[in-house]
Amino acid sequence: MSRWNRTHAALQQSALRLFQDQGYDATGTAQIAADAGVSEVTLFRHFPTKASLLLDDPFDPRIAAAVRDRPRSEAALTAVVEAVRATWQTLDPDTVEQLRTRLRLVASTPSLRAAARGDDTPTIDALTSALRARDVEDAEARVVATAVVAGLGAALLAWSRTEASSLDAAVGRALDAMGGR
């Protein structure tokens, strides 16, 4: 793992632990940086905002690649839904539990819920670009990407609030609904 990646992960781990212990609003970026053993300037080189420590989405590149790799004969919506499904199924249990913890913090913090709604643009752009690489017209690509991101976001927040279902089951039900199953 590169130094950049180690620092990035250390910042996210410190932030997650401190946010859980003290609450999101009571935790400052200087405290997170100090806990991770770096300067606050370094923190902001990795994350443009405090919220991005939780909202940074490492799955976008993987899902976009999976969309590009889907059969060209699939409709745009099917390609995105099945790419998301395939990507989520590859997550290890530790990643799933960390995701649930991050999303619980988002769901329970009003300022983070608002930030999360505004933070969908990079994911929508990544999916739109992947669909455009499949020769899907731009307007259709953006509508499909936006619809899937909105539906997946709602399913993930609902999943984070419960222990009752697995990520695979919660995401699968949402993707089935979006895919018309």
mmCIF file of all heavy atoms in Angstrom, residues 3-24:
data_model
loop_
_atom_site.group_PDB
_atom_site.id
_atom_site.type_symbol
_atom_site.label_atom_id
_atom_site.label_comp_id
_atom_site.label_asym_id
_atom_site.label_seq_id
_atom_site.Cartn_x
_atom_site.Cartn_y
_atom_site.Cartn_z
ATOM 1 N N ARG A 3 2.136 5.199 0.505
ATOM 2 C CA ARG A 3 2.042 6.131 1.638
ATOM 3 C C ARG A 3 0.741 6.930 1.575
ATOM 4 O O ARG A 3 0.083 7.155 2.592
ATOM 5 C CB ARG A 3 3.262 7.049 1.611
ATOM 6 C CG ARG A 3 3.305 8.014 2.757
ATOM 7 C CD ARG A 3 4.584 8.801 2.728
ATOM 8 N NE ARG A 3 4.455 9.984 3.541
ATOM 9 C CZ ARG A 3 5.208 11.035 3.431
ATOM 10 N NH1 ARG A 3 6.185 11.080 2.561
ATOM 11 N NH2 ARG A 3 5.004 12.079 4.196
ATOM 12 N N TRP A 4 0.383 7.379 0.379
ATOM 13 C CA TRP A 4 -0.860 8.135 0.198
ATOM 14 C C TRP A 4 -2.052 7.300 0.670
ATOM 15 O O TRP A 4 -2.900 7.784 1.424
ATOM 16 C CB TRP A 4 -1.028 8.529 -1.272
ATOM 17 C CG TRP A 4 -2.344 9.192 -1.557
ATOM 18 C CD1 TRP A 4 -3.520 8.576 -1.917
ATOM 19 C CD2 TRP A 4 -2.658 10.580 -1.453
ATOM 20 N NE1 TRP A 4 -4.523 9.493 -2.067
ATOM 21 C CE2 TRP A 4 -4.021 10.734 -1.792
ATOM 22 C CE3 TRP A 4 -1.909 11.711 -1.124
ATOM 23 C CZ2 TRP A 4 -4.659 11.964 -1.804
ATOM 24 C CZ3 TRP A 4 -2.551 12.939 -1.143
ATOM 25 C CH2 TRP A 4 -3.903 13.063 -1.472
ATOM 26 N N ASN A 5 -2.118 6.057 0.236
ATOM 27 C CA ASN A 5 -3.244 5.190 0.612
ATOM 28 C C ASN A 5 -3.262 4.894 2.101
ATOM 29 O O ASN A 5 -4.336 4.826 2.716
ATOM 30 C CB ASN A 5 -3.213 3.894 -0.192
ATOM 31 C CG ASN A 5 -3.579 4.118 -1.655
ATOM 32 O OD1 ASN A 5 -4.186 5.107 -2.014
ATOM 33 N ND2 ASN A 5 -3.174 3.184 -2.497
ATOM 34 N N ARG A 6 -2.090 4.691 2.702
ATOM 35 C CA ARG A 6 -2.031 4.450 4.152
ATOM 36 C C ARG A 6 -2.542 5.667 4.916
ATOM 37 O O ARG A 6 -3.305 5.537 5.878
ATOM 38 C CB ARG A 6 -0.598 4.123 4.588
ATOM 39 C CG ARG A 6 -0.177 2.708 4.290
ATOM 40 C CD ARG A 6 1.141 2.340 4.970
ATOM 41 N NE ARG A 6 2.215 3.288 4.749
ATOM 42 C CZ ARG A 6 3.076 3.281 3.741
ATOM 43 N NH1 ARG A 6 2.983 2.337 2.831
ATOM 44 N NH2 ARG A 6 4.029 4.180 3.649
ATOM 45 N N THR A 7 -2.107 6.860 4.507
ATOM 46 C CA THR A 7 -2.553 8.094 5.169
ATOM 47 C C THR A 7 -4.045 8.282 4.975
ATOM 48 O O THR A 7 -4.771 8.633 5.915
ATOM 49 C CB THR A 7 -1.775 9.312 4.633
ATOM 50 O OG1 THR A 7 -0.384 9.103 4.870
ATOM 51 C CG2 THR A 7 -2.237 10.604 5.277
ATOM 52 N N HIS A 8 -4.532 8.053 3.783
ATOM 53 C CA HIS A 8 -5.954 8.181 3.460
ATOM 54 C C HIS A 8 -6.785 7.269 4.374
ATOM 55 O O HIS A 8 -7.764 7.696 4.983
ATOM 56 C CB HIS A 8 -6.161 7.823 1.987
ATOM 57 C CG HIS A 8 -7.410 8.346 1.383
ATOM 58 N ND1 HIS A 8 -7.548 9.636 0.928
ATOM 59 C CD2 HIS A 8 -8.601 7.752 1.145
ATOM 60 C CE1 HIS A 8 -8.755 9.799 0.430
ATOM 61 N NE2 HIS A 8 -9.419 8.670 0.557
ATOM 62 N N ALA A 9 -6.361 6.011 4.462
ATOM 63 C CA ALA A 9 -7.076 5.044 5.299
ATOM 64 C C ALA A 9 -6.986 5.414 6.780
ATOM 65 O O ALA A 9 -7.979 5.299 7.509
ATOM 66 C CB ALA A 9 -6.507 3.638 5.067
ATOM 67 N N ALA A 10 -5.821 5.873 7.220
ATOM 68 C CA ALA A 10 -5.658 6.259 8.632
ATOM 69 C C ALA A 10 -6.573 7.423 8.981
ATOM 70 O O ALA A 10 -7.176 7.448 10.063
ATOM 71 C CB ALA A 10 -4.207 6.614 8.919
ATOM 72 N N LEU A 11 -6.696 8.385 8.087
ATOM 73 C CA LEU A 11 -7.583 9.523 8.325
ATOM 74 C C LEU A 11 -9.035 9.062 8.419
ATOM 75 O O LEU A 11 -9.766 9.497 9.311
ATOM 76 C CB LEU A 11 -7.407 10.580 7.234
ATOM 77 C CG LEU A 11 -6.136 11.406 7.319
ATOM 78 C CD1 LEU A 11 -5.849 12.113 6.002
ATOM 79 C CD2 LEU A 11 -6.241 12.408 8.465
ATOM 80 N N GLN A 12 -9.448 8.199 7.523
ATOM 81 C CA GLN A 12 -10.826 7.715 7.564
ATOM 82 C C GLN A 12 -11.093 6.898 8.825
ATOM 83 O O GLN A 12 -12.148 7.034 9.432
ATOM 84 C CB GLN A 12 -11.139 6.874 6.320
ATOM 85 C CG GLN A 12 -11.396 7.720 5.105
ATOM 86 C CD GLN A 12 -11.855 6.908 3.928
ATOM 87 O OE1 GLN A 12 -11.244 5.904 3.573
ATOM 88 N NE2 GLN A 12 -12.937 7.334 3.307
ATOM 89 N N GLN A 13 -10.147 6.072 9.226
ATOM 90 C CA GLN A 13 -10.327 5.266 10.434
ATOM 91 C C GLN A 13 -10.400 6.147 11.679
ATOM 92 O O GLN A 13 -11.244 5.936 12.552
ATOM 93 C CB GLN A 13 -9.196 4.247 10.561
ATOM 94 C CG GLN A 13 -9.288 3.139 9.542
ATOM 95 C CD GLN A 13 -8.026 2.285 9.473
ATOM 96 O OE1 GLN A 13 -7.040 2.534 10.151
ATOM 97 N NE2 GLN A 13 -8.070 1.273 8.626
ATOM 98 N N SER A 14 -9.513 7.145 11.765
ATOM 99 C CA SER A 14 -9.545 8.065 12.904
ATOM 100 C C SER A 14 -10.865 8.813 12.938
ATOM 101 O O SER A 14 -11.487 8.943 13.994
ATOM 102 C CB SER A 14 -8.378 9.052 12.837
ATOM 103 O OG SER A 14 -7.160 8.396 13.105
ATOM 104 N N ALA A 15 -11.282 9.316 11.795
ATOM 105 C CA ALA A 15 -12.535 10.063 11.727
ATOM 106 C C ALA A 15 -13.708 9.192 12.155
ATOM 107 O O ALA A 15 -14.534 9.623 12.972
ATOM 108 C CB ALA A 15 -12.755 10.599 10.316
ATOM 109 N N LEU A 16 -13.780 8.002 11.639
ATOM 110 C CA LEU A 16 -14.900 7.123 11.964
ATOM 111 C C LEU A 16 -14.944 6.834 13.465
ATOM 112 O O LEU A 16 -15.999 6.932 14.090
ATOM 113 C CB LEU A 16 -14.784 5.819 11.164
ATOM 114 C CG LEU A 16 -15.961 4.873 11.246
ATOM 115 C CD1 LEU A 16 -17.243 5.533 10.757
ATOM 116 C CD2 LEU A 16 -15.673 3.628 10.408
ATOM 117 N N ARG A 17 -13.809 6.511 14.041
ATOM 118 C CA ARG A 17 -13.770 6.219 15.473
ATOM 119 C C ARG A 17 -14.149 7.439 16.295
ATOM 120 O O ARG A 17 -14.966 7.354 17.218
ATOM 121 C CB ARG A 17 -12.372 5.727 15.865
ATOM 122 C CG ARG A 17 -12.278 5.245 17.296
ATOM 123 C CD ARG A 17 -10.938 4.635 17.629
ATOM 124 N NE ARG A 17 -9.791 5.263 17.003
ATOM 125 C CZ ARG A 17 -9.284 6.439 17.362
ATOM 126 N NH1 ARG A 17 -9.833 7.120 18.335
ATOM 127 N NH2 ARG A 17 -8.231 6.926 16.746
ATOM 128 N N LEU A 18 -13.585 8.605 15.962
ATOM 129 C CA LEU A 18 -13.891 9.819 16.718
ATOM 130 C C LEU A 18 -15.339 10.253 16.535
ATOM 131 O O LEU A 18 -15.987 10.685 17.490
ATOM 132 C CB LEU A 18 -12.930 10.947 16.328
ATOM 133 C CG LEU A 18 -11.477 10.745 16.776
ATOM 134 C CD1 LEU A 18 -10.561 11.756 16.083
ATOM 135 C CD2 LEU A 18 -11.354 10.837 18.279
ATOM 136 N N PHE A 19 -15.861 10.127 15.337
ATOM 137 C CA PHE A 19 -17.266 10.477 15.099
ATOM 138 C C PHE A 19 -18.186 9.565 15.916
ATOM 139 O O PHE A 19 -19.185 10.019 16.472
ATOM 140 C CB PHE A 19 -17.634 10.360 13.618
ATOM 141 C CG PHE A 19 -16.977 11.378 12.716
ATOM 142 C CD1 PHE A 19 -16.819 11.113 11.363
ATOM 143 C CD2 PHE A 19 -16.516 12.600 13.187
ATOM 144 C CE1 PHE A 19 -16.237 12.031 10.505
ATOM 145 C CE2 PHE A 19 -15.921 13.528 12.340
ATOM 146 C CZ PHE A 19 -15.778 13.233 10.987
ATOM 147 N N GLN A 20 -17.845 8.286 16.008
ATOM 148 C CA GLN A 20 -18.657 7.362 16.803
ATOM 149 C C GLN A 20 -18.566 7.694 18.293
ATOM 150 O O GLN A 20 -19.564 7.653 18.997
ATOM 151 C CB GLN A 20 -18.184 5.925 16.598
ATOM 152 C CG GLN A 20 -18.605 5.322 15.282
ATOM 153 C CD GLN A 20 -18.107 3.902 15.177
ATOM 154 O OE1 GLN A 20 -16.952 3.647 14.907
ATOM 155 N NE2 GLN A 20 -19.018 2.970 15.406
ATOM 156 N N ASP A 21 -17.362 8.017 18.751
ATOM 157 C CA ASP A 21 -17.149 8.284 20.180
ATOM 158 C C ASP A 21 -17.715 9.626 20.622
ATOM 159 O O ASP A 21 -18.280 9.740 21.711
ATOM 160 C CB ASP A 21 -15.659 8.248 20.523
ATOM 161 C CG ASP A 21 -15.062 6.859 20.406
ATOM 162 O OD1 ASP A 21 -15.832 5.875 20.302
ATOM 163 O OD2 ASP A 21 -13.816 6.747 20.407
ATOM 164 N N GLN A 22 -17.555 10.653 19.811
ATOM 165 C CA GLN A 22 -17.870 12.024 20.224
ATOM 166 C C GLN A 22 -19.045 12.638 19.482
ATOM 167 O O GLN A 22 -19.547 13.677 19.883
ATOM 168 C CB GLN A 22 -16.652 12.941 19.989
ATOM 169 C CG GLN A 22 -15.427 12.503 20.701
ATOM 170 C CD GLN A 22 -14.198 13.314 20.310
ATOM 171 O OE1 GLN A 22 -13.165 13.118 20.896
ATOM 172 N NE2 GLN A 22 -14.273 14.200 19.348
ATOM 173 N N GLY A 23 -19.399 12.040 18.360
ATOM 174 C CA GLY A 23 -20.397 12.634 17.488
ATOM 175 C C GLY A 23 -19.717 13.417 16.377
ATOM 176 O O GLY A 23 -18.606 13.931 16.543
ATOM 177 N N TYR A 24 -20.389 13.464 15.245
ATOM 178 C CA TYR A 24 -19.828 14.151 14.078
ATOM 179 C C TYR A 24 -19.599 15.632 14.359
ATOM 180 O O TYR A 24 -18.514 16.162 14.122
ATOM 181 C CB TYR A 24 -20.761 13.968 12.875
ATOM 182 C CG TYR A 24 -20.315 14.746 11.658
ATOM 183 C CD1 TYR A 24 -19.301 14.262 10.863
ATOM 184 C CD2 TYR A 24 -20.920 15.957 11.319
ATOM 185 C CE1 TYR A 24 -18.880 14.969 9.743
ATOM 186 C CE2 TYR A 24 -20.506 16.664 10.208
ATOM 187 C CZ TYR A 24 -19.477 16.170 9.422
ATOM 188 O OH TYR A 24 -19.068 16.883 8.321
#
